[in-house]
């Protein structure tokens, strides 16, 4: 006879509900994610997901590359590899990073399963529960999810049109430290920000680095969009000015293919050693096969021309978005003018609520991501993120026309009833899911 076990405090839906670690309790799918199941119908114009337009890749060339790799070097390409990543690819990554002014040694680089994993590893090796991470207002939802998973205290620092405000950063550091709390890092996306769509000018980057040096705080520089600038210049990374104070994250997701899941971190020597050990514990090694595809592509194809193809394509889409916003949006609506990357950040007229409005927008066959997802503290109700990376320009125009119609209706409702209805979004930020990344 098996021993009688005490009943578990679970439910029929999830009998393990009482067993999860504290760090998993906050992990929940948002109501918004359910709405996005509807929003992925073809008739809906989705300005929500940050999906790169991989359709513009030379797919035949990539197919040949992958086939050749397996045929000629299959025994190594399909085998486990180094935990730090392939050394030839690490050297090629140095060439990619020379465009943003980063000079490093192949030993300083660790290849990861997308830069998302690099983010996870950095937080894993630095943060204890309760440690403070300073982030922009708003910040990348996928990073917020990681900070929360490691039970960090996320503190938002204001941005202006040039990004993170150095004075506000200093004040926040003083305030948090005066509370006796430990700050572990400043997380920033200096180029073509997700979701704010703005970029830090060189002077601002210098000021932020000065604060970090003065306060002896690590800068975690997340830079997947730097090569996707539309105005003819590539912003110089903060890491280009200081190799010791900054951990730099890069990715092939936006310049080649997000599905290959190849990104990297560049870190000071001691940090890099910890990251490799943490990576080996998590996944043993990054995929040898997809590293091989990236490496072959870089070695045999004019990859900078491919980045230029993406840049031109996204510029055209950015123009379609900005033109149609200017044409259709009612007074009181504001948005950022991205000079690169995938996103514009829109502020609704006073009194409107982007989360409450989303079901009506989806009904009108247009989708976006409400601003509250990019904060941990309930800010962002009047904001929404518009992504122009995936839909064709004509679809973008149609999507904006539909969205403007919904905002007009909301304004009518709020003029009649005082305020628009609200959809409750428990817990603020929740994991985005890959479709919203
Ligand atoms: N950082 C930022 C700012 C991003 O926007 C994304 C993807 N949306 C990532 C990191 C993760 O990218 P990946 O893991 O595909 O390299």
């Amino acid at each position: 006879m098996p021993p009688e076990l005490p009943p578990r405090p679970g439910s029929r839906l999830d009998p393990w509900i009482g067993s999860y670690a504290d760090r998993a309790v906050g992990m929940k799918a948002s109501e918004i994610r359910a709405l996005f199941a509807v929003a992925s119908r073809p008739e809906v114009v989705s300005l929500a997901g940050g999906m790169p337009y991989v359709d513009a890749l030379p797919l035949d060339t990539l197919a040949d590359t992958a086939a050749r790799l397996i045929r000629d070097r299959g025994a190594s390409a399909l085998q486990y590899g180094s935990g730090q990543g392939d050394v030839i690819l690490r050297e090629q990554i140095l060439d990619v990073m020379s465009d943003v002014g980063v000079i490093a040694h192949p030993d300083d680089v660790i290849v990861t399963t997308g830069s998302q994993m690099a983010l996870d590893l950095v937080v894993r090796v630095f943060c204890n529960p309760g440690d403070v991470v300073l982030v922009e207002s708003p910040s990348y939802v996928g990073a917020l999810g990681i900070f929360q998973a490691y039970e960090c205290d996320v503190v938002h620092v204001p941005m202006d049109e040039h990004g993170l405000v150095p004075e506000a950063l200093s004040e926040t550091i003083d305030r948090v430290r005066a509370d006796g709390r430990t700050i572990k890092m400043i997380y920033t996306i200096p180029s073509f920000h997700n979701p704010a769509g703005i970029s830090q000018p060189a002077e601002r980057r210098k000021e932020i680095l000065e604060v970090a040096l003065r306060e002896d705080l690590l800068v975690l520089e997340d830079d997947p969009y730097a090569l996707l600038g539309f105005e003819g210049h590539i912003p110089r990374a903060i890491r280009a000015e200081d190799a010791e104070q900054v951990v730099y994250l890069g990715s092939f997701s936006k310049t080649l293919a997000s599905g290959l899941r190849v990104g990297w971190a560049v870190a000071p020597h001691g940090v890099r050693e910890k990251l490799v050990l943490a990576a080996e514990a998590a996944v043993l090694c990054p995929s040898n096969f997809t590293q091989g595809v990236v490496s072959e592509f870089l070695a045999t194809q004019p990859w900078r021309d491919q980045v230029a193809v993406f840049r031109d394509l996204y510029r055209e889409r950015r123009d379609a978005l900005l033109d149609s916003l200017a044409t259709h949006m009612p007074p009181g609506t504001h948005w950022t003018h991205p000079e690169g990357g995938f996103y514009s950040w829109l502020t609704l007229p006073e009194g409107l609520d982007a989360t409450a409005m989303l079901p009506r927008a989806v009904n009108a066959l247009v989708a976006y991501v409400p601003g509250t997802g990019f904060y941990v503290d309930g800010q962002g109700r009047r904001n929404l993120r518009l992504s122009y990376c995936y839909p064709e320009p004509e679809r973008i125009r149609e999507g904006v026309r539909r969205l403007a119609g919904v905002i007009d209706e909301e304004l009518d409702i709020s003029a009649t009833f005082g305020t628009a209805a609200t959809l409750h979004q428990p817990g603020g930020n929740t994991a985005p899911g890959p479709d919203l990344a």
Side-chain angles (χ1 to χ4, degrees):
M1 273 272 286
E4 186 110 330
L5 292 172
R8 277 202 234 113
S11 67
R12 240 160 51 91
L13 225 51
D14 184 359
W16 296 104
I17 197 106
S19 301
Y20 295 124
D22 292 346
R23 78 183 79 91
V25 172
M27 293 177 183
K28 48 187 180 277
S30 66
E31 292 168 31
I32 288 168
R33 204 190 265 202
L35 262 179
F36 277 108
V38 185
S40 59
R41 295 193 323 247
E43 61 273 27
V44 177
V45 176
S46 179
L47 301 170
M51 291 191 305
Y53 193 71
V54 288
D55 312 41
L57 286 167
L59 295 178
D60 287 343
T61 306
L62 279 165
D64 290 345
T65 306
R68 200 162 3 97
L69 192 64
I70 294 183
R71 201 174 41 237
D72 299 348
R73 288 195 279 133
S76 60
L78 300 177
Q79 187 54 273
Y80 291 117
S82 147
Q84 190 173 350
D86 178 61
V87 67
I88 295 171
L89 178 60
R90 283 190 272 129
E91 278 165 11
Q92 292 168 308
I93 285 172
L94 298 186
D95 178 36
V96 174
M97 287 192 302
S98 67
D99 286 12
V100 292
V102 171
I103 297 169
H105 188 275
D107 275 358
D108 305 330
V109 180
I110 166 175
V111 182
T112 53
T113 305
S115 57
Q116 187 74 17
M117 187 190 172
L119 254 169
D120 186 289
L121 295 175
V122 173
V123 181
R124 189 183 302 211
V125 305
F126 275 99
C127 294
N128 293 315
D131 283 345
V132 173
V133 177
L134 303 178
V135 307
E136 283 138 350
S137 295
S139 186
Y140 167 48
V141 58
L144 297 180
I146 291 173
F147 299 139
Q148 290 182 320
Y150 287 102
E151 301 170 84
C152 303
D153 263 351
V154 174
V155 175
H156 288 282
V157 179
M159 294 170 100
D160 62 15
E161 73 275 22
H162 299 312
L164 198 58
V165 179
E167 297 75 26
L169 182 61
S170 292
E171 280 162 25
T172 309
I173 293 168
D174 290 347
R175 179 167 47 80
V176 170
R177 284 185 172 158
D179 283 352
R181 295 193 287 166
T182 305
I183 307 173
K184 281 292 168 71
M185 63 184 77
I186 302 165
Y187 169 68
T188 180
I189 307 157
S191 302
F192 317 127
H193 191 275
N194 177 7
I198 55 182
S199 240
Q200 296 167 8
E203 184 56 27
R204 181 59 66 89
R205 292 172 194 234
K206 202 169 134 250
E207 290 167 347
I208 291 167
L209 180 60
E210 277 166 11
V211 175
L213 286 165
R214 193 175 62 234
E215 304 292 349
D216 198 19
L217 283 173
L218 184 79
V219 177
L220 180 54
E221 180 178 26
D222 191 5
D223 204 26
Y225 302 99
L227 302 191
L228 295 178
F230 307 142
E231 316 300 338
H233 98 283
I234 299 174
R236 203 174 148 83
I238 301 174
R239 165 62 177 73
E241 314 308 333
D242 196 302
E244 291 303 314
Q245 207 70 24
V246 184
V247 172
Y248 178 88
L249 308 184
S251 176
F252 289 106
S253 285
K254 326 289 171 176
T255 48
L256 183 50
S258 47
L260 293 171
R261 308 305 300 127
V262 180
W264 69 89
V266 179
H269 182 75
V271 177
R272 197 268 300 146
E273 277 190 340
K274 291 275 188 217
L275 294 180
V276 173
L277 292 173
E280 285 171 351
V283 293
L284 301 181
C285 63
S287 158
N288 243 5
F289 175 58
T290 60
Q291 286 183 90
V293 172
V294 173
S295 181
E296 277 292 300
F297 188 82
L298 295 177
T300 61
Q301 301 301 313
W303 66 267
R304 284 190 173 85
D305 292 353
Q306 179 58 41
V307 177
V309 167
F310 279 129
R311 235 181 345 243
D312 291 347
L313 189 132
Y314 295 134
R315 184 193 297 107
E316 191 191 356
R317 290 171 188 204
R318 185 272 318 255
D319 290 345
L321 182 87
L322 294 184
D323 287 352
S324 48
L325 286 169
T327 307
H328 297 295
M329 282 296 152
T333 316
H334 307 283
W335 54 90
T336 55
H337 292 69
E339 294 183 349
F342 288 2
Y343 313 101
S344 173
W345 182 246
L346 185 138
T347 307
L348 292 169
E350 187 107 39
L352 298 201
D353 181 322
T355 308
M357 195 175 81
L358 184 60
R360 291 189 275 279
V362 171
N363 244 342
L365 304 181
V366 60
Y368 57 82
V369 185
T372 45
F374 303 95
Y375 295 91
V376 297
D377 56 6
Q379 295 184 68
R381 299 205 78 93
R382 260 179 78 190
N383 297 107
L384 50 97
R385 187 189 77 176
L386 298 174
S387 308
Y388 47 83
C389 45
Y390 200 76
E392 309 271 348
E394 264 324 296
R395 294 279 289 165
I396 293 175
R397 288 179 215 281
E398 177 58 24
V400 169
R401 210 180 51 72
R402 292 175 189 172
L403 181 62
V406 175
I407 297 175
D408 282 335
E409 277 170 29
E410 293 288 295
L411 284 169
D412 286 349
I413 295 172
S414 102
T416 313
F417 297 106
T419 176
T422 55
L423 169 77
H424 183 56
Q425 173 67 14
N429 166 267
T430 44
D435 47 344
L436 303 186

